[in-house]
């Protein structure tokens, strides 16, 4: 196997462990595993076009971002007062945004290839990248939900990215028994654990944009009003916050945070990946579609998440009906669990793969053929499919909301 993309050190992203074109052997593979490098891209003749999903410029921008996140979290662990350079983090976020706009396909595997050794940093990076991708898809919604701002200001998602970076920084100040209890139970009603939102807000307030600080404070507020913290009235009583009263940035980060925590439970400080192993993306997304998560997420934001977090990312090795091995080569958010796959013939050695007859199957056209497993996980019960045309179509929702808004602006008939 020969690398199609360089491998960087998880703890030191600027250090290249193996360059593109390096051969993987019995010595390098165990070493990469020891360093928590979980995914690599290899050359497979006939599938060269998949490299578009791992653009080097996007990966470089993400590495710089996770490096800055790591430094901030390290400081938070040891200093009582953390002074944050908002403009430095905004610059790092804007660099990622620019690369994502220029290379829209290239974020699928970014979190899998960068930042592996430090789970807390990895989680912050994952949530930031997912939030930015969702924010780019939700420009129409940001304008609607931030109606008091100018259109250009409403579309500015730099504060969204910065808030996503620091959304859990308050957890760095929780006592170890609280973290241990959280990792064991995942009980969001634990009042001691809930304090991390207020603690984090106090740590960043005054140093970051107000919208970013609002994300840190409110990313656990839920669309159905079941989250925390509540909002205090003039008498000091706290009441639930629900629907559009929850800042739209907090709704976006809350969805990204929940998805990543479901998929990678061990991303919390002090968690043990052996006790709480990661699950496939398709399983995490399917869980979000069910109670109690379904009511807690803004449905428009969930469609945005579904549009940027494929259940089966391109490049993934999967098993399909009949036990055949295949690789995912394309997908559509309209029917995300029915991607296009290319069947791999186990009898053909990779160096001759380009000469073989290629069989590509669009699973949307073959409803009897489904993905049955990925990474050793049986996912036959995790697949989900649209029950009507356009159910997962974010563009359809954008048209409906835009037309409704334009209708509201029309003068009434005389």
């Amino acid at each position: 196997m020969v690398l199609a993309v360089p491998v960087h050190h998880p703890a030191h992203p600027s250090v290249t462990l193996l360059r593109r074109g390096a051969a993987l052997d019995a010595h390098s593979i165990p070493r990469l595993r020891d360093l928590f490098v979980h995914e690599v891209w290899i050359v497979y003749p006939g599938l060269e076009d998949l490299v578009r999903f791992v653009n080097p410029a996007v990966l470089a921008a993400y590495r710089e971002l996770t490096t800055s996140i790591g430094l901030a979290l390290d400081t938070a662990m040891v200093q009582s007062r953390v002074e944050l350079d908002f403009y430095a983090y905004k610059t790092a976020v804007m660099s990622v945004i620019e690369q994502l706009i220029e290379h829209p396909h290239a974020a699928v595997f970014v979190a899998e290839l960068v930042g592996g050794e430090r789970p807390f940093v990895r989680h912050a990076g994952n949530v930031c990248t997912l939030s930015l991708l969702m924010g780019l898809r939700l420009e129409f919604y940001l304008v609607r939900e931030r109606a008091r701002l100018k259109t250009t200001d409403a579309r500015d998602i730099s504060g969204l990215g910065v808030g996503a970076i620091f959304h859990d920084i308050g957890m760095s100040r929780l006592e170890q028994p609280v973290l241990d209890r959280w990792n064991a139970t995942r009980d969001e009603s634990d009042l001691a654990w809930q304090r991390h939102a207020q603690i984090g807000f106090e740590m960043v307030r005054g140093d970051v944009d107000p919208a970013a600080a609002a994300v840190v404070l409110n990313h656990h507020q839920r669309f159905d009003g079941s989250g925390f913290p509540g909002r205090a009235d003039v008498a000091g009583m706290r009441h639930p916050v629900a629907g559009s009263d929850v800042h739209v940035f907090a709704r976006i980060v809350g969805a990204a945070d929940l998805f990543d925590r479901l998929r990678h439970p061990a991303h919390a400080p002090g968690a043990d990946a052996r006790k709480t192993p990661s699950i496939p993306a398709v399983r995490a997304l399917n869980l979000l579609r069910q109670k109690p998560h379904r009511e807690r997420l803004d449905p428009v934001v969930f469609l945005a998440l579904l549009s940027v977090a494929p259940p089966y990312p391109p490049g993934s090795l999967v098993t399909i009906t009949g036990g055949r091995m295949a690789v995912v080569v394309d997908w559509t958010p309209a029917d995300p669990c029915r991607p296009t796959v290319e069947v791999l013939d186990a009898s053909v050695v990779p160096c001759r793969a380009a000469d073989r007859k290629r069989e590509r199957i669009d699973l949307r056209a073959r409803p009897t053929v489904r993905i049955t497993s990925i990474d050793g996980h049986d996912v036959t019960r995790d697949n989900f499919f649209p029950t009507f045309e356009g159910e997962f179509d974010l563009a359809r929702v954008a048209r409906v909301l835009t037309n409704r808004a334009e209708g509201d602006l029309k003068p009434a008939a005389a």
Side-chain angles (χ1 to χ4, degrees):
M1 296 184 290
V2 175
L3 286 175
V5 175
V7 177
H8 294 264
H9 196 295
H12 308 284
S14 61
V15 177
T16 301
L17 297 175
L18 294 172
R19 298 186 181 279
R20 180 174 179 267
L24 294 174
D25 54 28
H27 171 74
S28 59
I29 293 176
R31 180 59 179 153
L32 291 176
R33 287 175 175 159
D34 290 342
L35 291 171
F36 298 93
V37 176
H38 302 288
E39 305 276 356
V40 297
W41 280 73
I42 63 170
V43 174
Y44 194 93
L47 296 176
E48 291 85 356
D49 58 326
L50 286 176
V51 176
R52 74 183 187 276
F53 293 106
V54 283
N55 183 275
V58 176
L59 293 176
Y62 184 82
R63 281 194 298 272
E64 291 180 9
L65 180 66
T66 53
T67 298
S68 65
I69 293 172
L71 292 173
L73 294 178
D74 285 345
T75 303
M77 293 286 187
V78 298
Q79 293 185 9
S80 58
R81 168 65 182 164
V82 182
E83 294 185 1
L84 302 174
D85 186 346
F86 170 69
Y87 292 101
Y89 292 109
K90 181 176 180 178
T91 299
V93 167
M94 290 303 298
S95 177
V96 173
I97 293 172
E98 290 168 1
Q99 294 302 329
L100 292 176
I101 292 173
E102 189 170 347
H103 308 285
H105 297 292
V108 171
F109 261 103
V110 65
E112 305 298 333
L113 294 172
V114 184
E117 189 180 46
R118 306 179 62 189
F120 197 26
V121 175
R122 186 184 178 103
H123 174 66
N126 287 1
V127 172
C128 179
T129 305
L130 278 172
S131 298
L132 292 175
L133 286 167
M134 294 160 68
L136 291 172
R137 299 292 196 282
L138 288 170
E139 279 193 349
F140 73 94
Y141 200 50
L142 299 183
V143 172
R144 172 189 172 91
E145 296 295 289
R146 309 180 80 195
R148 288 176 293 181
L149 301 179
K150 295 179 181 178
T151 298
T152 52
D153 293 337
R155 290 175 174 170
D156 180 4
I157 58 173
S158 58
L160 169 65
V162 174
I165 289 175
F166 297 113
H167 75 283
D168 268 346
I169 194 170
M171 290 183 72
S172 66
R173 298 291 172 81
L174 295 182
E175 297 178 352
Q176 192 60 48
V178 177
L179 292 174
D180 292 342
R181 190 165 62 243
W182 161 250
N183 286 321
T185 66
R186 291 296 193 274
D187 179 11
E188 291 195 2
S189 66
D190 185 335
L191 296 180
W193 175 79
Q194 287 184 6
R195 290 179 56 248
H196 80 271
Q198 184 68 44
I199 293 171
F201 175 69
E202 298 297 337
M203 291 172 69
V204 304
R205 184 172 60 174
D207 288 335
V208 302
D209 181 86
V215 168
V216 178
L217 179 64
N218 301 319
H219 66 279
H220 282 288
Q221 288 177 341
R222 302 305 185 197
F223 202 64
D224 63 356
S226 62
F228 63 88
R231 185 171 296 167
D233 59 20
V234 292
M237 298 292 293
R238 288 199 167 270
H239 302 278
V241 185
S244 291
D245 286 338
V246 180
H247 196 291
V248 65
F249 283 0
R251 281 177 262 157
I252 292 171
V253 173
D257 173 52
L258 183 55
F259 169 72
D260 193 66
R261 290 226 181 276
L262 285 173
R263 191 173 179 212
H264 304 293
H267 276 182
D272 187 340
R274 292 167 297 182
K275 295 180 180 178
T276 53
S278 296
I279 64 174
V282 64
R283 184 168 300 164
L285 290 169
N286 192 34
L287 288 172
L288 290 178
R289 297 179 63 251
Q290 302 173 30
K291 293 182 178 181
H293 304 305
R294 183 176 62 198
E295 289 81 6
R296 295 175 178 176
L297 298 181
D298 180 335
V300 178
V301 170
F302 175 71
L303 289 183
L305 174 64
L306 200 58
S307 74
V308 302
Y312 300 108
S316 301
L317 290 174
V318 298
T319 304
I320 60 174
T321 302
R324 292 189 294 174
M325 185 71 71
V327 60
V328 178
V329 295
D330 207 353
W331 76 296
T332 172
D335 199 351
C337 292
R338 291 190 177 107
T340 298
V341 302
E342 181 163 325
V343 178
L344 301 179
D345 187 343
S347 66
V348 178
V349 295
C351 61
R352 295 184 179 179
D355 300 326
R356 69 180 174 85
K357 184 178 180 180
R358 301 166 67 182
E359 182 184 3
R360 288 201 173 187
I361 304 175
D362 183 345
L363 298 184
R364 291 174 298 168
R366 297 275 296 276
T368 59
V369 180
R370 298 185 177 184
I371 293 176
T372 58
S373 71
I374 181 172
D375 296 334
H377 294 270
D378 183 342
V379 293
T380 51
R381 297 184 179 181
D382 298 309
N383 290 312
F384 54 91
F385 309 104
T387 56
F388 60 87
E389 186 175 355
E391 180 179 359
F392 303 140
D393 188 352
L394 183 63
R396 178 184 65 85
V397 174
R399 290 192 298 270
V400 170
L401 292 181
T402 301
N403 291 338
R404 186 180 299 166
E406 290 175 351
D408 292 342
L409 294 175
K410 292 179 181 179

